[in-house]
Amino acid sequence: MSGMASDHNNSSQEEYIPHYLQKEDPFASKLSREADIIAGFYLTIIGILSTLGNGYVIFMSSKRKKKLRPAEIMTVNLAVCDLGISVVGKPFSIISFFSHRWMFGWLGCRWYGWAGFFFGCGSLITMTAVSLDRYLKICHLSYGTWLKRHHAFICLAIIWAYATFWATVPFAGVGSYAPEPFGTSCTLDWWLAQASVAGQAFVLSILFFCLLFPTAVIVFSYVKIILKVKSSTKEVAHYDTRIQNSHILEMKLTKVAMLICAGFLLAWIPYAVVSVWSAFGRPDSVPIQFSVVPTLLAKSAAMYNPIIYQVIDCKFACCRSGGLKAKSSFKKSRTYTISTHRDSTAMNETQLE
């Protein structure tokens, strides 16, 4: 009986024909021309904002590159990944949406799929490294005493090697890149899981090592940070000003990292859900008009980070400015008190100093 069930399962998998083999032209748009034009304008705006924003972050960071902290080096790497997605990937899809079909054939499809997965994976693994850095910095204070800039660059090399490996694995014959159901974009061939056990193993590996495991590390790190901050806020108040300022800066970097991760995951989770359903559910049950929405949302992830940097920086600058004003007024008050009582209270002056 088990043999018959296995044969039936194999035969059903062999009978499955992915969408890009069902039509003579897999790159013809399945959307209306009006929908393609709207999507093209949307991606154009996203691409311009992302390019300008991330380019600005990289430019400003390059002006103080010798002073960047390890966590800031990671943030710059994230901007490089987002800029790569915008410059290398988005022009392909923008041209195709406006042309009402994918214009670059199978070779361009595989290149576009590789570039999108490479930079996307690089972004997520960079955020994973940043979350671990924040966790160790906040929850294990001794970690910060030995971490140097060259450790951050070693970590960057590991991140790029990791992204390169997983993005290139499909070219080794265990996976592939294929057009999306709506025809004007390309991605990992999630539909291989419907065709064979090897395809299922490939898709599960991608999901675990490039989505689930990094996301679990990120969630674990920030949950531990939140618990630690709640328990240590009162302790920091008793430290001297130098330690308090250092703590404020570390919390600023942590807030930036948390918001970046939240924005990235919120943008990509709908796409991940649709991809998993295409791999292990009933892919033909997902309406083509619906499948394009998570894809467009995921492509907007590269735009959020520069906005987050600016919001946090402005808030931090306002708080710091307020603190400097208070400190200045305190000094003036102290000088006035000392000068008016110089003759009578020399001992009090010594104590105040």
Side-chain angles (χ1 to χ4, degrees):
M1 294 291 290
S2 60
M4 293 177 61
S6 177
D7 292 340
H8 175 73
N9 184 44
N10 291 335
S11 63
S12 63
Q13 288 180 334
E14 291 174 358
E15 291 173 359
Y16 175 77
I17 300 177
H19 64 276
Y20 53 84
L21 295 179
Q22 296 176 5
K23 307 286 185 179
E24 292 184 0
D25 187 0
F27 299 121
S29 176
K30 312 305 185 297
L31 304 174
S32 65
R33 186 170 292 276
E34 292 76 12
D36 275 334
I37 292 175
I38 293 173
F41 276 116
Y42 169 82
L43 288 181
T44 301
I45 295 172
I46 294 295
I48 293 173
L49 293 178
S50 175
T51 301
L52 294 177
N54 288 292
Y56 175 77
V57 171
I58 295 170
F59 172 73
M60 294 303 295
S61 299
S62 67
K63 297 175 67 175
R64 51 184 296 267
K65 56 185 177 182
K66 294 183 178 180
K67 298 181 180 180
L68 292 176
R69 301 158 65 91
E72 293 174 314
I73 293 173
M74 294 292 181
T75 303
V76 173
N77 189 65
L78 185 60
V80 171
C81 292
D82 291 339
L83 184 64
I85 292 176
S86 301
V87 173
V88 176
K90 283 189 173 61
F92 286 82
S93 54
I94 291 172
I95 293 173
S96 297
F97 273 114
F98 281 127
S99 301
H100 197 50
R101 63 175 288 107
W102 179 259
M103 298 295 295
F104 306 98
W106 276 103
L107 183 62
C109 181
R110 294 187 178 98
W111 159 251
Y112 177 85
W114 181 91
F117 186 44
F118 172 72
F119 288 114
C121 182
S123 295
L124 184 56
I125 303 304
T126 300
M127 287 186 284
T128 305
V130 170
S131 68
L132 277 176
D133 172 77
R134 296 294 85 206
Y135 163 69
L136 294 172
K137 189 75 174 180
I138 301 297
C139 300
H140 301 278
L141 299 179
S142 60
Y143 162 80
T145 61
W146 64 265
L147 180 68
K148 306 301 180 184
R149 282 166 56 93
H150 69 270
H151 293 115
F153 289 113
I154 292 173
C155 188
L156 291 185
I158 295 173
I159 290 170
W160 287 110
Y162 192 93
T164 301
F165 172 79
W166 285 108
T168 310
V169 160
F171 294 130
V174 297
S176 183
Y177 295 98
E180 299 268 15
F182 50 88
T184 47
S185 181
C186 294
T187 184
L188 276 169
D189 192 348
W190 303 103
W191 303 271
L192 284 176
Q194 298 280 347
S196 66
V197 175
Q200 293 176 357
F202 163 72
V203 171
L204 287 174
S205 298
I206 291 291
L207 287 173
F208 179 78
F209 289 105
C210 300
L211 179 62
L212 297 179
F213 178 69
T215 302
V217 173
I218 291 171
V219 172
F220 167 81
S221 298
Y222 289 124
V223 168
K224 297 293 287 187
I225 287 172
I226 292 171
L227 296 176
K228 181 66 176 180
V229 168
K230 285 185 177 181
S231 64
S232 63
T233 301
K234 294 182 180 179
E235 297 177 7
V236 175
H238 297 292
Y239 295 155
D240 60 32
T241 303
R242 182 176 59 83
I243 296 178
Q244 289 181 3
N245 290 340
S246 177
H247 179 76
I248 291 172
L249 180 58
E250 294 299 337
M251 291 311 302
K252 174 205 170 186
L253 295 174
T254 303
K255 288 179 181 178
V256 169
M258 290 178 68
L259 288 173
I260 288 172
C261 292
F264 183 90
L265 293 176
L266 288 175
W268 278 95
I269 283 176
Y271 181 79
V273 170
V274 173
S275 298
V276 171
W277 182 253
S278 298
F280 301 103
R282 296 172 55 197
D284 296 334
S285 66
V286 180
I288 292 178
Q289 291 76 8
F290 175 78
S291 67
V292 71
V293 176
T295 302
L296 295 178
L297 180 62
K299 293 180 186 298
S300 69
M303 180 189 67
Y304 304 147
N305 297 341
I307 298 174
I308 293 172
Y309 303 148
Q310 294 303 313
V311 170
I312 295 294
D313 278 341
C314 290
K315 182 178 178 181
F316 181 70
C318 291
C319 293
R320 185 171 53 188
S321 175
L324 289 173
K325 289 180 181 178
K327 187 176 181 180
S328 176
S329 63
F330 173 74
K331 285 183 176 180
K332 290 180 181 179
S333 175
R334 185 181 69 172
T335 303
Y336 175 79
T337 303
I338 293 175
S339 63
T340 55
H341 295 82
R342 183 180 299 275
D343 296 334
S344 61
T345 57
M347 183 63 72
N348 289 343
E349 179 184 353
T350 304
Q351 291 176 351
L352 284 169
E353 293 294 336

Short mmCIF file of all heavy atoms in Angstrom, two decimals, residues 191-250:
data_model
loop_
_atom_site.label_atom_id
_atom_site.label_comp_id
_atom_site.label_asym_id
_atom_site.label_seq_id
_atom_site.Cartn_x
_atom_site.Cartn_y
_atom_site.Cartn_z
N TRP A 191 8.31 26.71 -7.75
CA TRP A 191 7.41 25.69 -8.27
C TRP A 191 8.12 24.35 -8.46
O TRP A 191 7.47 23.34 -8.72
CB TRP A 191 6.79 26.17 -9.58
CG TRP A 191 6.07 27.46 -9.36
CD1 TRP A 191 4.76 27.63 -8.99
CD2 TRP A 191 6.63 28.78 -9.46
NE1 TRP A 191 4.47 28.97 -8.85
CE2 TRP A 191 5.60 29.70 -9.13
CE3 TRP A 191 7.89 29.28 -9.78
CZ2 TRP A 191 5.78 31.08 -9.12
CZ3 TRP A 191 8.09 30.66 -9.77
CH2 TRP A 191 7.05 31.54 -9.45
N LEU A 192 9.45 24.32 -8.30
CA LEU A 192 10.17 23.05 -8.36
C LEU A 192 9.74 22.10 -7.26
O LEU A 192 9.83 20.89 -7.40
CB LEU A 192 11.68 23.31 -8.25
CG LEU A 192 12.39 23.87 -9.48
CD1 LEU A 192 13.84 24.16 -9.15
CD2 LEU A 192 12.30 22.89 -10.64
N ALA A 193 9.28 22.66 -6.13
CA ALA A 193 8.84 21.80 -5.02
C ALA A 193 7.61 20.99 -5.39
O ALA A 193 7.34 19.95 -4.78
CB ALA A 193 8.55 22.65 -3.79
N GLN A 194 6.87 21.43 -6.39
CA GLN A 194 5.70 20.70 -6.84
C GLN A 194 6.08 19.54 -7.75
O GLN A 194 5.27 18.64 -7.98
CB GLN A 194 4.75 21.64 -7.61
CG GLN A 194 4.20 22.78 -6.78
CD GLN A 194 3.04 22.34 -5.91
OE1 GLN A 194 2.49 21.26 -6.07
NE2 GLN A 194 2.66 23.19 -4.96
N ALA A 195 7.32 19.54 -8.26
CA ALA A 195 7.70 18.58 -9.29
C ALA A 195 8.53 17.42 -8.80
O ALA A 195 8.50 16.34 -9.39
CB ALA A 195 8.45 19.30 -10.42
N SER A 196 9.31 17.58 -7.72
CA SER A 196 10.21 16.52 -7.30
C SER A 196 10.60 16.69 -5.84
O SER A 196 10.47 17.78 -5.27
CB SER A 196 11.48 16.51 -8.16
OG SER A 196 12.23 17.68 -7.94
N VAL A 197 11.09 15.60 -5.25
CA VAL A 197 11.60 15.64 -3.88
C VAL A 197 12.84 16.51 -3.80
O VAL A 197 13.05 17.24 -2.82
CB VAL A 197 11.89 14.21 -3.38
CG1 VAL A 197 12.53 14.25 -1.99
CG2 VAL A 197 10.61 13.39 -3.35
N ALA A 198 13.68 16.45 -4.83
CA ALA A 198 14.88 17.30 -4.86
C ALA A 198 14.50 18.78 -4.86
O ALA A 198 15.15 19.60 -4.21
CB ALA A 198 15.72 16.97 -6.09
N GLY A 199 13.43 19.10 -5.59
CA GLY A 199 12.95 20.48 -5.59
C GLY A 199 12.45 20.90 -4.23
O GLY A 199 12.67 22.04 -3.79
N GLN A 200 11.77 19.99 -3.54
CA GLN A 200 11.31 20.30 -2.18
C GLN A 200 12.48 20.53 -1.23
O GLN A 200 12.46 21.46 -0.42
CB GLN A 200 10.43 19.16 -1.67
CG GLN A 200 9.11 19.01 -2.41
CD GLN A 200 8.31 17.82 -1.92
OE1 GLN A 200 8.76 17.05 -1.07
NE2 GLN A 200 7.11 17.64 -2.48
N ALA A 201 13.53 19.71 -1.35
CA ALA A 201 14.70 19.87 -0.50
C ALA A 201 15.38 21.22 -0.77
O ALA A 201 15.82 21.90 0.16
CB ALA A 201 15.68 18.72 -0.74
N PHE A 202 15.45 21.60 -2.04
CA PHE A 202 16.05 22.89 -2.40
C PHE A 202 15.27 24.05 -1.79
O PHE A 202 15.84 24.95 -1.16
CB PHE A 202 16.10 23.01 -3.92
CG PHE A 202 16.32 24.41 -4.41
CD1 PHE A 202 17.55 25.02 -4.28
CD2 PHE A 202 15.29 25.11 -5.02
CE1 PHE A 202 17.75 26.31 -4.74
CE2 PHE A 202 15.48 26.40 -5.47
CZ PHE A 202 16.71 27.01 -5.34
N VAL A 203 13.96 24.04 -1.97
CA VAL A 203 13.13 25.13 -1.47
C VAL A 203 13.17 25.19 0.06
O VAL A 203 13.28 26.28 0.65
CB VAL A 203 11.68 24.98 -1.97
CG1 VAL A 203 10.76 25.97 -1.28
CG2 VAL A 203 11.62 25.17 -3.48
N LEU A 204 13.11 24.04 0.72
CA LEU A 204 13.17 24.02 2.19
C LEU A 204 14.51 24.55 2.70
O LEU A 204 14.56 25.26 3.71
CB LEU A 204 12.93 22.60 2.70
CG LEU A 204 11.50 22.08 2.60
CD1 LEU A 204 11.44 20.61 2.99
CD2 LEU A 204 10.56 22.90 3.50
N SER A 205 15.59 24.22 2.00
CA SER A 205 16.91 24.73 2.40
C SER A 205 16.96 26.24 2.28
O SER A 205 17.47 26.94 3.17
CB SER A 205 18.00 24.09 1.54
OG SER A 205 18.04 22.69 1.71
N ILE A 206 16.44 26.76 1.17
CA ILE A 206 16.42 28.21 0.96
C ILE A 206 15.59 28.88 2.06
O ILE A 206 16.01 29.89 2.65
CB ILE A 206 15.85 28.55 -0.42
CG1 ILE A 206 16.82 28.11 -1.52
CG2 ILE A 206 15.55 30.03 -0.53
CD1 ILE A 206 18.11 28.90 -1.58
N LEU A 207 14.42 28.33 2.32
CA LEU A 207 13.54 28.92 3.33
C LEU A 207 14.19 28.93 4.71
O LEU A 207 14.10 29.92 5.45
CB LEU A 207 12.21 28.17 3.38
CG LEU A 207 11.25 28.39 2.21
CD1 LEU A 207 10.06 27.45 2.32
CD2 LEU A 207 10.79 29.85 2.16
N PHE A 208 14.87 27.84 5.07
CA PHE A 208 15.44 27.76 6.42
C PHE A 208 16.66 28.66 6.56
O PHE A 208 16.74 29.49 7.47
CB PHE A 208 15.83 26.32 6.74
CG PHE A 208 16.45 26.17 8.11
CD1 PHE A 208 15.67 26.17 9.25
CD2 PHE A 208 17.83 26.07 8.25
CE1 PHE A 208 16.24 26.05 10.50
CE2 PHE A 208 18.42 25.95 9.50
CZ PHE A 208 17.62 25.94 10.64
N PHE A 209 17.63 28.53 5.64
CA PHE A 209 18.91 29.24 5.80
C PHE A 209 18.84 30.70 5.38
O PHE A 209 19.69 31.49 5.82
CB PHE A 209 20.00 28.52 5.00
CG PHE A 209 20.42 27.21 5.59
CD1 PHE A 209 20.00 26.02 5.01
CD2 PHE A 209 21.19 27.15 6.73
CE1 PHE A 209 20.38 24.79 5.55
CE2 PHE A 209 21.57 25.94 7.28
CZ PHE A 209 21.16 24.75 6.69
N CYS A 210 17.88 31.07 4.55
CA CYS A 210 17.81 32.44 4.05
C CYS A 210 16.59 33.20 4.52
O CYS A 210 16.39 34.36 4.12
CB CYS A 210 17.86 32.44 2.53
SG CYS A 210 19.36 31.70 1.85
N LEU A 211 15.76 32.59 5.38
CA LEU A 211 14.60 33.31 5.90
C LEU A 211 14.32 32.95 7.36
O LEU A 211 14.41 33.80 8.24
CB LEU A 211 13.36 33.03 5.05
CG LEU A 211 12.08 33.72 5.53
CD1 LEU A 211 12.25 35.23 5.47
CD2 LEU A 211 10.88 33.27 4.71
N LEU A 212 14.01 31.67 7.63
CA LEU A 212 13.54 31.30 8.96
C LEU A 212 14.63 31.44 10.02
O LEU A 212 14.40 32.05 11.08
CB LEU A 212 13.00 29.86 8.93
CG LEU A 212 11.78 29.63 8.03
CD1 LEU A 212 11.37 28.17 8.09
CD2 LEU A 212 10.63 30.53 8.45
N PHE A 213 15.80 30.89 9.75
CA PHE A 213 16.88 30.96 10.74
C PHE A 213 17.33 32.40 11.01
O PHE A 213 17.43 32.81 12.18
CB PHE A 213 18.06 30.09 10.30
CG PHE A 213 19.23 30.14 11.23
CD1 PHE A 213 19.14 29.56 12.50
CD2 PHE A 213 20.41 30.77 10.86
CE1 PHE A 213 20.23 29.62 13.37
CE2 PHE A 213 21.49 30.82 11.72
CZ PHE A 213 21.40 30.25 12.98
N PRO A 214 17.61 33.22 9.97
CA PRO A 214 17.97 34.61 10.25
C PRO A 214 16.88 35.37 10.99
O PRO A 214 17.17 36.15 11.91
CB PRO A 214 18.20 35.20 8.86
CG PRO A 214 18.53 34.04 7.99
CD PRO A 214 17.71 32.91 8.53
N THR A 215 15.61 35.14 10.61
CA THR A 215 14.51 35.83 11.29
C THR A 215 14.43 35.42 12.75
O THR A 215 14.19 36.26 13.64
CB THR A 215 13.18 35.53 10.58
OG1 THR A 215 13.28 35.95 9.21
CG2 THR A 215 12.04 36.26 11.26
N ALA A 216 14.63 34.14 13.05
CA ALA A 216 14.60 33.66 14.43
C ALA A 216 15.71 34.32 15.26
O ALA A 216 15.50 34.71 16.41
CB ALA A 216 14.75 32.14 14.46
N VAL A 217 16.91 34.46 14.68
CA VAL A 217 18.02 35.12 15.37
C VAL A 217 17.68 36.58 15.65
O VAL A 217 17.94 37.10 16.75
CB VAL A 217 19.31 35.01 14.55
CG1 VAL A 217 20.43 35.84 15.18
CG2 VAL A 217 19.75 33.56 14.44
N ILE A 218 17.09 37.26 14.68
CA ILE A 218 16.71 38.67 14.85
C ILE A 218 15.69 38.83 15.97
O ILE A 218 15.83 39.68 16.86
CB ILE A 218 16.18 39.23 13.53
CG1 ILE A 218 17.31 39.35 12.51
CG2 ILE A 218 15.51 40.59 13.74
CD1 ILE A 218 16.85 39.70 11.11
N VAL A 219 14.64 38.01 15.94
CA VAL A 219 13.60 38.10 16.96
C VAL A 219 14.16 37.79 18.34
O VAL A 219 13.89 38.51 19.32
CB VAL A 219 12.43 37.14 16.61
CG1 VAL A 219 11.43 37.09 17.76
CG2 VAL A 219 11.74 37.57 15.33
N PHE A 220 14.96 36.74 18.45
CA PHE A 220 15.58 36.39 19.73
C PHE A 220 16.42 37.54 20.27
O PHE A 220 16.33 37.91 21.46
CB PHE A 220 16.45 35.14 19.56
CG PHE A 220 17.36 34.87 20.73
CD1 PHE A 220 16.89 34.23 21.87
CD2 PHE A 220 18.70 35.26 20.69
CE1 PHE A 220 17.73 33.99 22.95
CE2 PHE A 220 19.55 35.02 21.75
CZ PHE A 220 19.07 34.39 22.89
N SER A 221 17.24 38.14 19.41
CA SER A 221 18.15 39.21 19.85
C SER A 221 17.39 40.40 20.39
O SER A 221 17.71 40.91 21.47
CB SER A 221 19.04 39.64 18.68
OG SER A 221 19.84 38.57 18.22
N TYR A 222 16.36 40.84 19.68
CA TYR A 222 15.66 42.05 20.11
C TYR A 222 14.73 41.81 21.28
O TYR A 222 14.50 42.72 22.08
CB TYR A 222 14.94 42.69 18.92
CG TYR A 222 15.91 43.29 17.93
CD1 TYR A 222 15.91 42.91 16.60
CD2 TYR A 222 16.88 44.21 18.35
CE1 TYR A 222 16.83 43.45 15.70
CE2 TYR A 222 17.80 44.74 17.47
CZ TYR A 222 17.77 44.36 16.15
OH TYR A 222 18.69 44.88 15.27
N VAL A 223 14.20 40.62 21.40
CA VAL A 223 13.41 40.29 22.61
C VAL A 223 14.31 40.34 23.84
O VAL A 223 13.96 40.92 24.88
CB VAL A 223 12.75 38.91 22.47
CG1 VAL A 223 12.19 38.45 23.82
CG2 VAL A 223 11.62 38.96 21.45
N LYS A 224 15.52 39.76 23.75
CA LYS A 224 16.46 39.79 24.86
C LYS A 224 16.89 41.22 25.17
O LYS A 224 17.06 41.60 26.35
CB LYS A 224 17.67 38.93 24.54
CG LYS A 224 17.37 37.46 24.36
CD LYS A 224 16.93 36.81 25.67
CE LYS A 224 18.08 36.63 26.63
NZ LYS A 224 17.70 35.86 27.82
N ILE A 225 17.07 42.05 24.13
CA ILE A 225 17.46 43.44 24.35
C ILE A 225 16.38 44.20 25.08
O ILE A 225 16.65 44.95 26.03
CB ILE A 225 17.77 44.11 22.99
CG1 ILE A 225 19.10 43.58 22.44
CG2 ILE A 225 17.83 45.63 23.13
CD1 ILE A 225 19.39 44.03 21.02
N ILE A 226 15.12 44.02 24.66
CA ILE A 226 14.01 44.72 25.31
C ILE A 226 13.93 44.34 26.78
O ILE A 226 13.76 45.20 27.66
CB ILE A 226 12.69 44.39 24.58
CG1 ILE A 226 12.70 45.03 23.18
CG2 ILE A 226 11.50 44.90 25.38
CD1 ILE A 226 11.54 44.60 22.31
N LEU A 227 14.07 43.06 27.09
CA LEU A 227 14.02 42.61 28.48
C LEU A 227 15.19 43.19 29.28
O LEU A 227 15.02 43.60 30.44
CB LEU A 227 14.05 41.08 28.54
CG LEU A 227 12.84 40.37 27.92
CD1 LEU A 227 13.03 38.85 27.96
CD2 LEU A 227 11.55 40.75 28.64
N LYS A 228 16.36 43.23 28.67
CA LYS A 228 17.53 43.76 29.35
C LYS A 228 17.40 45.25 29.62
O LYS A 228 17.75 45.74 30.71
CB LYS A 228 18.78 43.49 28.51
CG LYS A 228 20.08 43.98 29.12
CD LYS A 228 20.42 43.22 30.39
CE LYS A 228 21.77 43.64 30.94
NZ LYS A 228 22.11 42.91 32.17
N VAL A 229 16.90 45.99 28.65
CA VAL A 229 16.76 47.44 28.81
C VAL A 229 15.78 47.77 29.92
O VAL A 229 16.01 48.68 30.73
CB VAL A 229 16.32 48.09 27.48
CG1 VAL A 229 15.90 49.53 27.68
CG2 VAL A 229 17.46 48.01 26.46
N LYS A 230 14.69 47.03 29.98
CA LYS A 230 13.71 47.26 31.05
C LYS A 230 14.30 47.05 32.43
O LYS A 230 13.97 47.76 33.38
CB LYS A 230 12.50 46.34 30.84
CG LYS A 230 11.58 46.77 29.71
CD LYS A 230 10.35 45.88 29.66
CE LYS A 230 9.40 46.35 28.58
NZ LYS A 230 8.17 45.50 28.52
N SER A 231 15.18 46.08 32.55
CA SER A 231 15.74 45.77 33.85
C SER A 231 16.94 46.63 34.22
O SER A 231 17.31 46.70 35.40
CB SER A 231 16.16 44.29 33.89
OG SER A 231 17.21 44.04 32.96
N SER A 232 17.56 47.30 33.25
CA SER A 232 18.80 48.03 33.53
C SER A 232 18.67 49.54 33.41
O SER A 232 19.65 50.25 33.61
CB SER A 232 19.90 47.57 32.58
OG SER A 232 19.56 47.87 31.25
N THR A 233 17.48 50.05 33.09
CA THR A 233 17.32 51.50 32.92
C THR A 233 17.67 52.25 34.20
O THR A 233 18.36 53.28 34.18
CB THR A 233 15.87 51.82 32.51
OG1 THR A 233 15.57 51.15 31.29
CG2 THR A 233 15.69 53.32 32.32
N LYS A 234 17.23 51.75 35.33
CA LYS A 234 17.50 52.42 36.61
C LYS A 234 18.98 52.34 36.97
O LYS A 234 19.53 53.26 37.57
CB LYS A 234 16.66 51.78 37.70
CG LYS A 234 15.16 52.01 37.53
CD LYS A 234 14.37 51.39 38.68
CE LYS A 234 12.87 51.64 38.50
NZ LYS A 234 12.09 51.01 39.61
N GLU A 235 19.64 51.26 36.57
CA GLU A 235 21.05 51.12 36.89
C GLU A 235 21.88 52.16 36.15
O GLU A 235 22.81 52.76 36.70
CB GLU A 235 21.54 49.72 36.53
CG GLU A 235 20.85 48.61 37.33
CD GLU A 235 21.31 47.24 36.88
OE1 GLU A 235 22.25 47.19 36.05
OE2 GLU A 235 20.75 46.24 37.33
N VAL A 236 21.56 52.40 34.88
CA VAL A 236 22.32 53.35 34.07
C VAL A 236 22.21 54.77 34.62
O VAL A 236 23.14 55.56 34.51
CB VAL A 236 21.83 53.30 32.60
CG1 VAL A 236 22.52 54.38 31.76
CG2 VAL A 236 22.08 51.93 32.01
N ALA A 237 21.08 55.10 35.25
CA ALA A 237 20.88 56.44 35.78
C ALA A 237 21.89 56.78 36.87
O ALA A 237 22.15 57.96 37.15
CB ALA A 237 19.46 56.57 36.34
N HIS A 238 22.48 55.79 37.51
CA HIS A 238 23.44 56.03 38.58
C HIS A 238 24.87 56.16 38.07
O HIS A 238 25.78 56.48 38.85
CB HIS A 238 23.37 54.90 39.61
CG HIS A 238 22.03 54.81 40.29
ND1 HIS A 238 21.57 55.75 41.17
CD2 HIS A 238 21.05 53.87 40.20
CE1 HIS A 238 20.36 55.42 41.62
NE2 HIS A 238 20.02 54.28 41.04
N TYR A 239 25.11 55.93 36.77
CA TYR A 239 26.46 56.01 36.23
C TYR A 239 26.82 57.46 35.92
O TYR A 239 25.96 58.35 35.92
CB TYR A 239 26.58 55.16 34.96
CG TYR A 239 26.41 53.68 35.19
CD1 TYR A 239 25.98 52.85 34.15
CD2 TYR A 239 26.67 53.09 36.42
CE1 TYR A 239 25.82 51.48 34.34
CE2 TYR A 239 26.50 51.74 36.62
CZ TYR A 239 26.08 50.94 35.58
OH TYR A 239 25.92 49.60 35.78
N ASP A 240 28.09 57.70 35.62
CA ASP A 240 28.51 59.05 35.28
C ASP A 240 28.05 59.42 33.87
O ASP A 240 27.52 58.60 33.12
CB ASP A 240 30.03 59.21 35.42
CG ASP A 240 30.79 58.26 34.49
OD1 ASP A 240 30.29 57.97 33.39
OD2 ASP A 240 31.89 57.81 34.87
N THR A 241 28.27 60.69 33.51
CA THR A 241 27.73 61.21 32.25
C THR A 241 28.30 60.49 31.04
O THR A 241 27.60 60.24 30.06
CB THR A 241 28.04 62.72 32.15
OG1 THR A 241 27.50 63.38 33.29
CG2 THR A 241 27.43 63.32 30.89
N ARG A 242 29.59 60.15 31.09
CA ARG A 242 30.22 59.50 29.95
C ARG A 242 29.56 58.16 29.65
O ARG A 242 29.28 57.83 28.50
CB ARG A 242 31.71 59.30 30.23
CG ARG A 242 32.47 58.65 29.08
CD ARG A 242 33.95 58.58 29.41
NE ARG A 242 34.18 57.82 30.64
CZ ARG A 242 34.24 56.48 30.68
NH1 ARG A 242 34.10 55.78 29.58
NH2 ARG A 242 34.46 55.86 31.82
N ILE A 243 29.30 57.37 30.69
CA ILE A 243 28.66 56.07 30.50
C ILE A 243 27.22 56.25 30.03
O ILE A 243 26.73 55.51 29.18
CB ILE A 243 28.72 55.26 31.80
CG1 ILE A 243 30.18 54.94 32.15
CG2 ILE A 243 27.92 53.97 31.68
CD1 ILE A 243 30.35 54.19 33.45
N GLN A 244 26.53 57.27 30.56
CA GLN A 244 25.14 57.51 30.14
C GLN A 244 25.09 57.90 28.66
O GLN A 244 24.22 57.43 27.92
CB GLN A 244 24.53 58.62 31.00
CG GLN A 244 24.24 58.21 32.44
CD GLN A 244 23.62 59.33 33.24
OE1 GLN A 244 23.36 60.40 32.72
NE2 GLN A 244 23.40 59.08 34.52
N ASN A 245 26.03 58.75 28.22
CA ASN A 245 26.05 59.14 26.80
C ASN A 245 26.35 57.95 25.90
O ASN A 245 25.77 57.81 24.82
CB ASN A 245 27.11 60.23 26.59
CG ASN A 245 26.71 61.55 27.21
OD1 ASN A 245 25.53 61.78 27.47
ND2 ASN A 245 27.68 62.42 27.47
N SER A 246 27.27 57.09 26.34
CA SER A 246 27.56 55.89 25.57
C SER A 246 26.34 54.99 25.47
O SER A 246 26.04 54.42 24.42
CB SER A 246 28.74 55.13 26.21
OG SER A 246 28.99 53.93 25.51
N HIS A 247 25.62 54.89 26.58
CA HIS A 247 24.40 54.06 26.59
C HIS A 247 23.35 54.63 25.64
O HIS A 247 22.67 53.89 24.93
CB HIS A 247 23.85 53.98 28.01
CG HIS A 247 22.59 53.19 28.13
ND1 HIS A 247 22.57 51.81 28.10
CD2 HIS A 247 21.28 53.57 28.27
CE1 HIS A 247 21.33 51.38 28.22
NE2 HIS A 247 20.53 52.43 28.32
N ILE A 248 23.21 55.97 25.63
CA ILE A 248 22.24 56.60 24.74
C ILE A 248 22.58 56.33 23.28
O ILE A 248 21.71 56.03 22.46
CB ILE A 248 22.20 58.13 25.00
CG1 ILE A 248 21.58 58.40 26.38
CG2 ILE A 248 21.40 58.85 23.92
CD1 ILE A 248 21.66 59.86 26.80
N LEU A 249 23.87 56.41 22.94
CA LEU A 249 24.29 56.13 21.56
C LEU A 249 24.03 54.68 21.18
O LEU A 249 23.54 54.40 20.07
CB LEU A 249 25.78 56.46 21.40
CG LEU A 249 26.36 56.21 20.00
CD1 LEU A 249 25.60 57.00 18.95
CD2 LEU A 249 27.84 56.55 19.97
N GLU A 250 24.32 53.76 22.09
CA GLU A 250 24.06 52.35 21.80
C GLU A 250 22.57 52.10 21.62
O GLU A 250 22.17 51.33 20.74
CB GLU A 250 24.60 51.48 22.94
CG GLU A 250 26.12 51.49 23.10
CD GLU A 250 26.82 50.97 21.86
OE1 GLU A 250 26.21 50.23 21.08
OE2 GLU A 250 28.00 51.33 21.66
#
